[in-house]
Amino acid sequence: MAYRILVIDDEEDILEFIKYNLQRDGYEVYTAQNGAIGLERALEVRPHLILLDMMMPVLDGVETCKAIRRSPKLRKVMVVFLSAVSDEEMQLQGYGAGADDYISKPVKMNILRSRVKAILNRISPVENDEKITIDHTNFLVNKGEEVITLPRKEFYLLSLLYSHPGKLFSREDIYREVWGEDVVVGDRTIDVHIRKLRQKLGDEHIVTVKGIGYKFVENPSDSTE
C-alpha cells in the first residue's frame, strides 16, 4: 500500500522539493498552497499524513488543523506541523489544535524522510471500524460507520471484486461480468471506475496487478502489488 501524504504550504518551491523527495520513497504526494484548499484536497484524497505549515494566507495552520480534527472523515489522519515558527508558544498552539508532531524548519531532507517514515509506522493500515461491507439488498456500501452510495456500475464492479477476496479478476472477466459480452466499452472504462471507487473508499482494499487486472483484499497489510 502506498501511503498518501498531503503537504500544505504557501511556498511553491518548498512544496515541489518535498513532493519530489517523498515520491522517491514511494509515497503518493499531494500539495496545496493554503489551508482552505488543503482542507478540500484532504477530503478528496483522504491522506494518511498531512504536513502543515503554520503561517499561511486564507487559513493559517492552527485553524486548518482544528478544522481537520472536527471533520469525521479526517479524524484519523496524522497531522504534523512543518514550520519555520519554532518558538515554544507556537508549538504549544500546534499541539493544542490537535497536531501529532511538530518539526521545525529548516530541516534536512534525509531527516524529514526519516521522521515521515517513523510517523507513518504508527499507523495501522486498516482499522476495524473502516471495514468494507456490502448491503446487496439496498445497494449500499458501508465503510465502518460511513454509508456510501455508488452508481450502478461502480457498485457491481465492487461487488464482483468483493465476492472473492484475494482473487485476481482479469480485465476480460470484469468486462464480461459487469458490462456483459454484448456491450462495447472503451479501454479505459475499468480504470476510470476503479479510480472513482478508490476516491470514495480509499485505495487500501483494491489492488492493481499491472497488465492483468484487479483484486479486493480484506487486509491490505498482507497484500503486495
Side-chain angles (χ1 to χ4, degrees), residues 151-216:
R152 186 165 56 94
K153 290 300 184 185
E154 289 178 31
F155 183 85
Y156 289 153
L157 173 54
L158 179 62
S159 295
L160 175 65
L161 300 177
Y162 183 88
S163 66
H164 293 88
K167 177 182 176 180
L168 174 61
F169 287 88
S170 70
R171 298 173 69 85
E172 291 75 18
D173 291 335
I174 295 172
Y175 278 128
R176 183 177 62 253
E177 296 294 332
V178 177
W179 278 270
E181 296 180 342
D182 298 327
V183 178
V184 178
V185 293
D187 291 339
R188 302 293 293 175
T189 299
I190 293 177
D191 301 322
V192 170
H193 281 71
I194 289 290
R195 176 172 55 81
K196 289 181 178 178
L197 282 175
R198 284 172 168 160
Q199 288 175 346
K200 297 168 184 175
L201 305 176
D203 62 4
E204 295 89 351
H205 290 283
I206 300 176
V207 175
T208 301
V209 179
K210 293 181 180 179
I212 303 177
Y214 301 93
K215 62 181 177 179
F216 178 90

Side-chain angles (χ1 to χ4, degrees), residues 136-151:
H136 291 91
T137 301
N138 297 303
F139 288 86
L140 296 174
V141 176
N142 300 288
K143 183 180 181 184
E145 298 179 356
E146 182 181 4
V147 179
I148 301 171
T149 302
L150 298 176

Side-chain angles (χ1 to χ4, degrees), residues 14-45:
I14 291 178
L15 289 179
E16 292 304 315
F17 184 61
I18 294 175
K19 179 178 180 179
Y20 171 76
N21 282 276
L22 293 182
Q23 283 181 331
R24 292 175 61 194
D25 289 338
Y27 303 119
E28 293 182 20
V29 185
Y30 304 88
T31 61
Q33 288 190 280
N34 64 58
I37 296 174
L39 284 172
E40 294 177 1
R41 198 75 169 124
L43 289 168
E44 176 186 348
V45 304

Side-chain angles (χ1 to χ4, degrees), residues 35-179:
I37 296 174
L39 284 172
E40 294 177 1
R41 198 75 169 124
L43 289 168
E44 176 186 348
V45 304
R46 302 291 183 86
H48 299 90
L49 168 64
I50 294 176
L51 296 178
L52 180 62
D53 189 25
M54 179 66 79
M55 306 301 293
M56 295 183 296
V58 184
L59 197 65
D60 66 24
V62 169
E63 292 305 314
T64 301
C65 187
K66 289 179 179 178
I68 290 168
R69 291 302 179 222
R70 288 194 297 266
S71 172
K73 294 182 178 181
L74 300 175
R75 60 192 175 89
K76 292 191 176 181
V77 65
M78 303 288 285
V79 179
V80 175
F81 277 101
L82 180 60
S83 177
V85 182
S86 57
D87 66 85
E88 181 178 353
E89 180 61 32
M90 292 301 290
Q91 291 191 34
L92 290 173
Q93 286 189 38
Y95 286 116
D100 296 285
D101 207 343
Y102 198 110
I103 301 173
S104 297
K105 297 177 186 175
V107 59
K108 292 183 178 180
M109 184 51 61
N110 60 340
I111 298 297
L112 178 60
R113 290 165 62 194
S114 296
R115 293 284 293 274
V116 166
K117 182 178 180 180
I119 290 164
L120 290 174
N121 282 340
R122 306 177 199 168
I123 299 174
S124 175
V126 180
E127 301 290 345
N128 289 333
D129 60 0
E130 292 184 349
K131 183 178 179 180
I132 301 293
T133 58
I134 297 180
D135 180 350
H136 291 91
T137 301
N138 297 303
F139 288 86
L140 296 174
V141 176
N142 300 288
K143 183 180 181 184
E145 298 179 356
E146 182 181 4
V147 179
I148 301 171
T149 302
L150 298 176
R152 186 165 56 94
K153 290 300 184 185
E154 289 178 31
F155 183 85
Y156 289 153
L157 173 54
L158 179 62
S159 295
L160 175 65
L161 300 177
Y162 183 88
S163 66
H164 293 88
K167 177 182 176 180
L168 174 61
F169 287 88
S170 70
R171 298 173 69 85
E172 291 75 18
D173 291 335
I174 295 172
Y175 278 128
R176 183 177 62 253
E177 296 294 332
V178 177
W179 278 270

